[in-house]
Amino acid sequence: LPVRMALYRKRPDCDREHRFATTQQLAGRMIQQVREALPDRQIRACGDGQFATRDVVQALDEHSNLVSRIRGDAALYEIPKQPRKRKRGQPRKKGMRLPTPKKLAKCRKKGWQTIQVRKGGRVVKRRVLSVECLWYHVCKDRPIKLVIVRDPSGHERDDFFFCTDPTVSEVEIVERYYARWTIEESIRDGKQLGGF
């Protein structure tokens, strides 16, 4: 059931009373409003790739995380190692550049594991590769867990997901993203059939 909703207005429909806000900015505001209403609860947000933006990630606090799709050509970096001795200047914000998720899916042979996840009411097997890294463009210095998901039968293309909390398991990340589709359907039915 929806706990928070916001009306998106197109730019021509906005005025001084109703300022324009992108869907990502509205999502960030809703996350913050839920946080204010439920300060002691963990917030686990999930959205498709259009919500993998700074506006949404900046709305998360240390007790919140986001699962979303990541671009196949995203610029990823290693988490910088802390220097042993204090050097002059600021410490590095990001480590060495990593291959893109698409390139990692093609070239990485080690580290894959087989998991079982729920998808669309049934249990399916998936091969996953997870990498802890930085997606500096969107998440700045907040580490993420990149999860590359492969259908062992080869019928579906590789998928690329991420979570802003690297401690979340691969199974939970994949299942949370797959479960998002039923929410999309309920929103569609609410608008088309229920008059929302």
Side-chain angles (χ1 to χ4, degrees):
L1 294 172
V3 294
R4 188 79 182 93
M5 298 172 81
L7 177 64
Y8 170 74
R9 296 173 190 267
K10 295 179 182 174
R11 200 178 290 271
D13 298 332
C14 294
D15 53 26
R16 288 183 181 170
E17 189 178 335
H18 302 101
R19 300 278 182 195
F20 175 75
T22 65
T23 54
Q24 295 84 3
Q25 289 168 334
L26 291 172
R29 289 178 196 163
M30 287 191 289
I31 290 169
Q32 289 175 334
Q33 289 163 346
V34 171
R35 165 57 61 223
E36 289 168 9
L38 303 168
D40 300 327
R41 300 283 245 167
Q42 181 187 39
I43 297 174
R44 298 181 301 165
C46 185
D48 61 19
Q50 74 169 337
F51 292 99
T53 66
R54 269 190 219 159
D55 289 323
V56 177
V57 171
Q58 287 176 349
L60 304 169
D61 65 3
E62 64 276 2
H63 303 296
S64 311
N65 62 61
L66 168 71
V67 168
S68 185
R69 183 172 264 141
I70 190 170
R71 295 171 50 123
D73 62 351
L76 303 175
Y77 297 88
E78 289 180 349
I79 297 169
K81 296 181 176 119
Q82 297 299 324
R84 291 183 187 166
K85 296 180 181 177
R86 187 161 175 85
K87 295 183 178 179
R88 293 169 72 180
Q90 291 185 343
R92 293 183 69 175
K93 293 184 179 179
K94 52 189 176 184
M96 299 290 292
R97 177 83 183 256
L98 293 171
T100 64
K102 277 187 181 177
K103 287 183 182 174
L104 277 171
K106 285 182 183 176
C107 68
R108 193 66 75 86
K109 303 295 180 209
K110 293 182 181 178
W112 290 86
Q113 57 180 318
T114 302
I115 61 172
Q116 290 188 334
V117 293
R118 290 185 303 275
K119 181 182 183 186
R122 57 192 173 95
V123 176
V124 296
K125 284 187 178 180
R126 292 291 181 260
R127 299 276 294 150
V128 294
L129 173 69
S130 64
V131 178
E132 210 173 308
C133 58
L134 295 179
W135 188 17
Y136 198 80
H137 178 71
V138 172
C139 302
K140 292 292 184 191
D141 56 357
R142 183 177 186 152
I144 66 164
K145 180 182 273 189
L146 164 71
V147 180
I148 301 169
V149 183
R150 179 168 290 162
D151 178 5
S153 67
H155 294 301
E156 298 176 22
R157 292 183 300 171
D158 289 350
D159 249 329
F160 310 106
F161 304 140
F162 80 99
C163 183
T164 57
D165 180 356
T167 64
V168 176
S169 72
E170 292 82 0
V171 171
E172 183 181 336
I173 292 169
V174 175
E175 285 187 343
R176 265 170 66 185
Y177 193 83
Y178 285 165
R180 178 195 60 82
W181 186 247
T182 57
I183 297 167
E184 296 278 354
E185 288 180 325
S186 69
I187 292 170
R188 183 205 60 202
D189 292 348
K191 284 164 53 177
Q192 300 298 325
L193 305 174
F196 284 106

PDB file of all heavy atoms in Angstrom, residues 80-93:
ATOM      1  N   PRO A  80      39.098   4.005  -2.420  1.00  0.00           N
ATOM      2  CA  PRO A  80      40.502   4.378  -2.188  1.00  0.00           C
ATOM      3  C   PRO A  80      41.029   3.777  -0.896  1.00  0.00           C
ATOM      4  O   PRO A  80      40.312   3.683   0.102  1.00  0.00           O
ATOM      5  CB  PRO A  80      40.469   5.904  -2.126  1.00  0.00           C
ATOM      6  CG  PRO A  80      39.080   6.238  -1.739  1.00  0.00           C
ATOM      7  CD  PRO A  80      38.205   5.145  -2.311  1.00  0.00           C
ATOM      8  N   LYS A  81      42.286   3.363  -0.943  1.00  0.00           N
ATOM      9  CA  LYS A  81      42.931   2.843   0.258  1.00  0.00           C
ATOM     10  C   LYS A  81      43.389   4.012   1.103  1.00  0.00           C
ATOM     11  O   LYS A  81      43.825   5.037   0.594  1.00  0.00           O
ATOM     12  CB  LYS A  81      44.127   1.977  -0.129  1.00  0.00           C
ATOM     13  CG  LYS A  81      43.724   0.739  -0.898  1.00  0.00           C
ATOM     14  CD  LYS A  81      44.929  -0.104  -1.240  1.00  0.00           C
ATOM     15  CE  LYS A  81      44.432  -1.363  -1.918  1.00  0.00           C
ATOM     16  NZ  LYS A  81      44.914  -1.514  -3.253  1.00  0.00           N
ATOM     17  N   GLN A  82      43.263   3.856   2.415  1.00  0.00           N
ATOM     18  CA  GLN A  82      43.696   4.916   3.317  1.00  0.00           C
ATOM     19  C   GLN A  82      45.220   4.922   3.384  1.00  0.00           C
ATOM     20  O   GLN A  82      45.846   3.873   3.542  1.00  0.00           O
ATOM     21  CB  GLN A  82      43.125   4.689   4.727  1.00  0.00           C
ATOM     22  CG  GLN A  82      41.612   4.738   4.784  1.00  0.00           C
ATOM     23  CD  GLN A  82      41.065   6.079   4.353  1.00  0.00           C
ATOM     24  OE1 GLN A  82      41.653   7.114   4.614  1.00  0.00           O
ATOM     25  NE2 GLN A  82      39.928   6.062   3.664  1.00  0.00           N
ATOM     26  N   PRO A  83      45.853   6.088   3.250  1.00  0.00           N
ATOM     27  CA  PRO A  83      47.317   6.137   3.314  1.00  0.00           C
ATOM     28  C   PRO A  83      47.817   5.758   4.702  1.00  0.00           C
ATOM     29  O   PRO A  83      47.188   6.071   5.710  1.00  0.00           O
ATOM     30  CB  PRO A  83      47.645   7.600   2.977  1.00  0.00           C
ATOM     31  CG  PRO A  83      46.391   8.357   3.264  1.00  0.00           C
ATOM     32  CD  PRO A  83      45.257   7.396   3.064  1.00  0.00           C
ATOM     33  N   ARG A  84      48.958   5.054   4.738  1.00  0.00           N
ATOM     34  CA  ARG A  84      49.527   4.643   6.027  1.00  0.00           C
ATOM     35  C   ARG A  84      50.042   5.842   6.811  1.00  0.00           C
ATOM     36  O   ARG A  84      49.848   5.958   8.000  1.00  0.00           O
ATOM     37  CB  ARG A  84      50.664   3.650   5.796  1.00  0.00           C
ATOM     38  CG  ARG A  84      50.186   2.327   5.283  1.00  0.00           C
ATOM     39  CD  ARG A  84      51.318   1.371   5.130  1.00  0.00           C
ATOM     40  NE  ARG A  84      50.859   0.161   4.470  1.00  0.00           N
ATOM     41  CZ  ARG A  84      51.648  -0.744   3.964  1.00  0.00           C
ATOM     42  NH1 ARG A  84      52.953  -0.607   4.035  1.00  0.00           N
ATOM     43  NH2 ARG A  84      51.154  -1.817   3.395  1.00  0.00           N
ATOM     44  N   LYS A  85      50.754   6.719   6.115  1.00  0.00           N
ATOM     45  CA  LYS A  85      51.279   7.916   6.776  1.00  0.00           C
ATOM     46  C   LYS A  85      50.502   9.119   6.286  1.00  0.00           C
ATOM     47  O   LYS A  85      50.037   9.162   5.159  1.00  0.00           O
ATOM     48  CB  LYS A  85      52.763   8.085   6.439  1.00  0.00           C
ATOM     49  CG  LYS A  85      53.631   6.961   6.976  1.00  0.00           C
ATOM     50  CD  LYS A  85      55.060   7.194   6.600  1.00  0.00           C
ATOM     51  CE  LYS A  85      55.955   6.076   7.110  1.00  0.00           C
ATOM     52  NZ  LYS A  85      57.335   6.248   6.694  1.00  0.00           N
ATOM     53  N   ARG A  86      50.392  10.069   7.146  1.00  0.00           N
ATOM     54  CA  ARG A  86      49.679  11.286   6.776  1.00  0.00           C
ATOM     55  C   ARG A  86      50.520  12.074   5.777  1.00  0.00           C
ATOM     56  O   ARG A  86      51.637  12.450   6.060  1.00  0.00           O
ATOM     57  CB  ARG A  86      49.389  12.109   8.024  1.00  0.00           C
ATOM     58  CG  ARG A  86      48.510  13.290   7.759  1.00  0.00           C
ATOM     59  CD  ARG A  86      47.905  13.755   9.076  1.00  0.00           C
ATOM     60  NE  ARG A  86      47.142  14.959   8.889  1.00  0.00           N
ATOM     61  CZ  ARG A  86      45.881  14.987   8.500  1.00  0.00           C
ATOM     62  NH1 ARG A  86      45.256  13.866   8.233  1.00  0.00           N
ATOM     63  NH2 ARG A  86      45.239  16.121   8.385  1.00  0.00           N
ATOM     64  N   LYS A  87      49.944  12.287   4.614  1.00  0.00           N
ATOM     65  CA  LYS A  87      50.627  13.074   3.587  1.00  0.00           C
ATOM     66  C   LYS A  87      49.983  14.439   3.507  1.00  0.00           C
ATOM     67  O   LYS A  87      48.877  14.657   3.986  1.00  0.00           O
ATOM     68  CB  LYS A  87      50.530  12.364   2.230  1.00  0.00           C
ATOM     69  CG  LYS A  87      51.253  11.046   2.192  1.00  0.00           C
ATOM     70  CD  LYS A  87      51.174  10.457   0.815  1.00  0.00           C
ATOM     71  CE  LYS A  87      51.931   9.155   0.744  1.00  0.00           C
ATOM     72  NZ  LYS A  87      51.863   8.538  -0.564  1.00  0.00           N
ATOM     73  N   ARG A  88      50.678  15.334   2.852  1.00  0.00           N
ATOM     74  CA  ARG A  88      50.139  16.682   2.672  1.00  0.00           C
ATOM     75  C   ARG A  88      48.964  16.621   1.706  1.00  0.00           C
ATOM     76  O   ARG A  88      48.917  15.810   0.807  1.00  0.00           O
ATOM     77  CB  ARG A  88      51.225  17.593   2.141  1.00  0.00           C
ATOM     78  CG  ARG A  88      52.329  17.801   3.159  1.00  0.00           C
ATOM     79  CD  ARG A  88      53.517  18.469   2.562  1.00  0.00           C
ATOM     80  NE  ARG A  88      53.250  19.875   2.278  1.00  0.00           N
ATOM     81  CZ  ARG A  88      54.137  20.687   1.741  1.00  0.00           C
ATOM     82  NH1 ARG A  88      55.334  20.244   1.416  1.00  0.00           N
ATOM     83  NH2 ARG A  88      53.829  21.943   1.519  1.00  0.00           N
ATOM     84  N   GLY A  89      48.012  17.512   1.915  1.00  0.00           N
ATOM     85  CA  GLY A  89      46.857  17.572   1.031  1.00  0.00           C
ATOM     86  C   GLY A  89      45.754  16.618   1.473  1.00  0.00           C
ATOM     87  O   GLY A  89      45.881  15.868   2.437  1.00  0.00           O
ATOM     88  N   GLN A  90      44.682  16.664   0.723  1.00  0.00           N
ATOM     89  CA  GLN A  90      43.534  15.821   1.038  1.00  0.00           C
ATOM     90  C   GLN A  90      43.777  14.385   0.592  1.00  0.00           C
ATOM     91  O   GLN A  90      44.458  14.145  -0.406  1.00  0.00           O
ATOM     92  CB  GLN A  90      42.285  16.352   0.339  1.00  0.00           C
ATOM     93  CG  GLN A  90      41.790  17.659   0.880  1.00  0.00           C
ATOM     94  CD  GLN A  90      40.488  18.076   0.222  1.00  0.00           C
ATOM     95  OE1 GLN A  90      40.112  17.568  -0.822  1.00  0.00           O
ATOM     96  NE2 GLN A  90      39.800  19.017   0.845  1.00  0.00           N
ATOM     97  N   PRO A  91      43.190  13.405   1.302  1.00  0.00           N
ATOM     98  CA  PRO A  91      43.297  12.019   0.839  1.00  0.00           C
ATOM     99  C   PRO A  91      42.491  11.829  -0.448  1.00  0.00           C
ATOM    100  O   PRO A  91      41.577  12.608  -0.742  1.00  0.00           O
ATOM    101  CB  PRO A  91      42.698  11.199   1.987  1.00  0.00           C
ATOM    102  CG  PRO A  91      41.902  12.158   2.785  1.00  0.00           C
ATOM    103  CD  PRO A  91      42.470  13.521   2.565  1.00  0.00           C
ATOM    104  N   ARG A  92      42.828  10.803  -1.191  1.00  0.00           N
ATOM    105  CA  ARG A  92      42.146  10.533  -2.458  1.00  0.00           C
ATOM    106  C   ARG A  92      40.674  10.245  -2.214  1.00  0.00           C
ATOM    107  O   ARG A  92      40.310   9.546  -1.273  1.00  0.00           O
ATOM    108  CB  ARG A  92      42.781   9.332  -3.148  1.00  0.00           C
ATOM    109  CG  ARG A  92      44.191   9.591  -3.620  1.00  0.00           C
ATOM    110  CD  ARG A  92      44.729   8.406  -4.353  1.00  0.00           C
ATOM    111  NE  ARG A  92      44.012   8.255  -5.625  1.00  0.00           N
ATOM    112  CZ  ARG A  92      44.327   7.366  -6.537  1.00  0.00           C
ATOM    113  NH1 ARG A  92      45.318   6.530  -6.329  1.00  0.00           N
ATOM    114  NH2 ARG A  92      43.661   7.286  -7.655  1.00  0.00           N
ATOM    115  N   LYS A  93      39.826  10.763  -3.106  1.00  0.00           N
ATOM    116  CA  LYS A  93      38.389  10.547  -2.979  1.00  0.00           C
ATOM    117  C   LYS A  93      37.949   9.278  -3.682  1.00  0.00           C
ATOM    118  O   LYS A  93      36.933   8.689  -3.333  1.00  0.00           O
ATOM    119  CB  LYS A  93      37.628  11.744  -3.544  1.00  0.00           C
ATOM    120  CG  LYS A  93      37.817  12.994  -2.732  1.00  0.00           C
ATOM    121  CD  LYS A  93      36.985  14.123  -3.268  1.00  0.00           C
ATOM    122  CE  LYS A  93      37.176  15.359  -2.404  1.00  0.00           C
ATOM    123  NZ  LYS A  93      36.408  16.484  -2.892  1.00  0.00           N
TER     124      LYS A  93
END
